[in-house]
Structure formats: C-alpha cells, structure tokens
Amino acid sequence: EGNKMESRGALVVLEGLDRSGKSSQCSRLVSFLEGQGISAELWRFPDRTTNVGQMISAYLSNTSQLDDHTIHLLFSANRWEKRSLMETKLKTGKTLIVDRYSYSGVAFSSAKGLDIEWCKAPEIGLLAPDMVVYLDISPEKAAERGGYGGERYEKLEFQKKVADCYSVLHDVSWKVVDGCQPMEDVEKQLQEIVLDCVTECRKGKLLATLWS
Ligand code: Z5A
Ligand code: MG
C-alpha cells in the first residue's frame, strides 16, 4: 500500500497533590523515552509563559486577587490556547508528558466549594489523555517534603480538600502509583506503564476528547 499513516504520540498526564513528585518524574520520564528512541516532550499546566499564564502566575503568588470562577476559567483557557499545538504534536508522533491537566483544574476549584459539574464544563472538548497517572501521597507526607513555599494553595488544610476532590474524579482507567516510594522505584513503575501506553497509541488507539 505504501501509504501507511504515521503513528501518533501518546498524551500522558501526571496528577497528584503538591509535592507528590510530578515535576521530578515528568522530566525523568521524558529523558527515559528519548533514550528509548521515542520522541517525547515535557509539557506543564499552568503554562506560565503565555499572557493568560502570567495572570495565573500572579494569582498563585498572591500578587493579584481574582474571583474563584474567574481564575478557574483562566486555567481552562490556558489549556485551550495550547490545544491545537498539542494535537499537531501528537499527530506528528510526539509523545507528550504533561505535568497537571484538567483534573488539577477541577480538583483545586471544587476544593474551594465550586460545583464540580460547573468546573468540568469548560474542559469539555479538550484532548483526553491516553493515560492519567496519579502519584499517590497523603497530604501530611507531602507537607513533610521540603515544606511548602508561599504560593496560594500550599497549605495542609487546603491540600486535604484537594485530595478528597481528586478521589471524586478518579476513575478505573487511572494508574495509581505510590508516590511515597523512593524516587527510583516510582520512576521504574512509570516507565513500564508509559511504554505500554505509547505502544497502544502507535497501534492506532484513537485520540478522544474530554469529558467522558
Ligand atoms: N492548579 C489549579 O488550581 N488549576 C489548574 O488547572 C492547574 C493547576 C493546572 C501550581 O502548580 C498550582 O496551580 C498548583 C495547582 C494549581 N497548586 N498548588 N499548590 P504547579 O504544578 O506549578 O506546582 P509546583 O510548584 O510544580 O509544585 P508541585 O506540583 O506541588 O510539586 P511536584 O511537581 O508534585 O513535586 P516535585 O517538585 O517533583 O517534588 C517536590 C519535592 O519532593 C522536591 O524536593 C523533590 O525532590 C521531592 N521528592 C519528589 N519525589 C520524591 C520521592 N519519591 N521521595 C522523596 N522526595 C521526593
Ligand atoms: Mg511540580
């Protein structure tokens, strides 16, 4: 036939409480994949480099105040402004390892008391991850890691609420990895499940959209 479609990359999202190890593991994962000859990129939300991202950053560092609904929609807009680039990259074969996504958006805003369905609504139509990995750690253990900085949500009481909200979002397709293990052990487990996911996507698994 000679007209074989190029295989697409995988959209992999890491979620978890603050200090669960997402950023550390995302960068290790990208290095590992590249070492395996799999073209991969590290992405993160919020993406603080855009105009919207700068508004989010000012809010998180408490240099600006915003209504809870407003900041929720900005986080969502920050994903929408990256959606088409994300799709292009995936279709040209790049695997994207994404540090936080819509689940952080919904968990953090609903932890403030916003209605969960209202929180999910602006995420509808964004690309659905091929895999969500949840790095599991208790809020107490997370707080012990180097202590929290000064950002808005970095407080134990609030992190407990976020943990409850994440558990509501949780579905059977999520891969839960014990984030309390030594970094190398977490890393090994992630490598295995992400390689499986990359293989599935190469075999033609279709890209889907949120929220389903
Ligand atoms: N937010 C939102 O409200 N709505 C949204 O839509 C989105 C986000 C996308 C900023 O996020 C805030 O925005 C965040 C959610 C909210 N709220 N808070 N707080 P961020 O992603 O920019 O947050 P961050 O500053 O990158 O920190 P983090 O994500 O909390 O940390 P992490 O990435 O999970 O962990 P880490 O940086 O890899 O590791 C933390 C420390 O633990 C570090 O010293 C490591 O060396 C150590 N560590 C990591 N793994 C281990 C293990 N296995 N053992 C021992 N020590 C470890
Ligand atoms: Mg991080």
Side-chain angles (χ1 to χ4, degrees), residues 15-22 60 100 104 107-108 111-112 134-144 147-167:
E15 288 282 0
L17 293 182
D18 269 51
R19 305 293 179 269
S20 57
K22 299 176 298 299
L60 288 172
R100 294 191 187 275
S104 284
F108 279 77
K112 295 170 174 174
Y134 185 76
L135 291 184
D136 195 22
I137 188 170
S138 70
E140 291 80 6
K141 282 224 173 113
E144 286 168 13
Y148 288 128
E151 283 212 328
R152 189 177 289 265
Y153 299 138
E154 299 181 336
K155 297 181 186 79
L156 182 58
E157 282 316 306
F158 187 69
Q159 292 293 320
K160 287 182 184 167
K161 289 187 186 155
V162 174
D164 291 342
C165 293
Y166 265 126
S167 70

Side-chain angles (χ1 to χ4, degrees), residues 25-49:
Q25 294 297 337
C26 281
S27 52
R28 283 164 181 238
L29 204 46
V30 169
S31 310
F32 166 76
L33 292 171
E34 302 250 84
Q36 301 285 307
I38 296 164
S39 169
E41 259 178 38
L42 174 56
W43 281 41
R44 62 168 57 225
F45 290 106
D47 178 338
R48 303 191 193 212
T49 65

Side-chain angles (χ1 to χ4, degrees), residues 108-127:
F108 279 77
S109 293
S110 64
K112 295 170 174 174
L114 299 191
D115 177 71
I116 190 160
E117 294 307 322
W118 186 89
C119 292
K120 286 165 96 167
E123 308 296 320
I124 295 172
L126 288 171
L127 297 177

Side-chain angles (χ1 to χ4, degrees), residues 83-210:
R83 187 198 187 282
S84 67
L85 182 61
M86 188 176 248
E87 185 167 4
T88 304
K89 296 250 177 191
L90 290 166
K91 288 189 168 161
T92 55
K94 275 247 186 295
T95 283
L96 306 181
I97 304 298
V98 185
D99 189 351
R100 294 191 187 275
Y101 197 55
S102 301
Y103 312 92
S104 284
V106 176
F108 279 77
S109 293
S110 64
K112 295 170 174 174
L114 299 191
D115 177 71
I116 190 160
E117 294 307 322
W118 186 89
C119 292
K120 286 165 96 167
E123 308 296 320
I124 295 172
L126 288 171
L127 297 177
D130 294 298
M131 188 168 78
V132 177
V133 182
Y134 185 76
L135 291 184
D136 195 22
I137 188 170
S138 70
E140 291 80 6
K141 282 224 173 113
E144 286 168 13
R145 288 191 174 163
Y148 288 128
E151 283 212 328
R152 189 177 289 265
Y153 299 138
E154 299 181 336
K155 297 181 186 79
L156 182 58
E157 282 316 306
F158 187 69
Q159 292 293 320
K160 287 182 184 167
K161 289 187 186 155
V162 174
D164 291 342
C165 293
Y166 265 126
S167 70
V168 173
L169 286 175
H170 218 118
D171 76 57
V172 291
S173 71
W174 285 25
K175 307 283 182 194
V176 180
V177 172
D178 179 2
C180 300
Q181 306 172 90
M183 241 188 247
E184 294 67 29
D185 295 353
V186 177
E187 190 180 356
K188 283 256 154 56
Q189 289 177 26
L190 278 171
Q191 290 173 355
E192 216 170 286
I193 55 184
V194 170
L195 278 180
D196 286 348
C197 180
V198 168
T199 305
E200 250 189 81
C201 293
R202 281 186 168 173
K203 284 183 185 159
K205 177 177 181 281
L206 292 177
L207 252 181
T209 54
L210 290 176

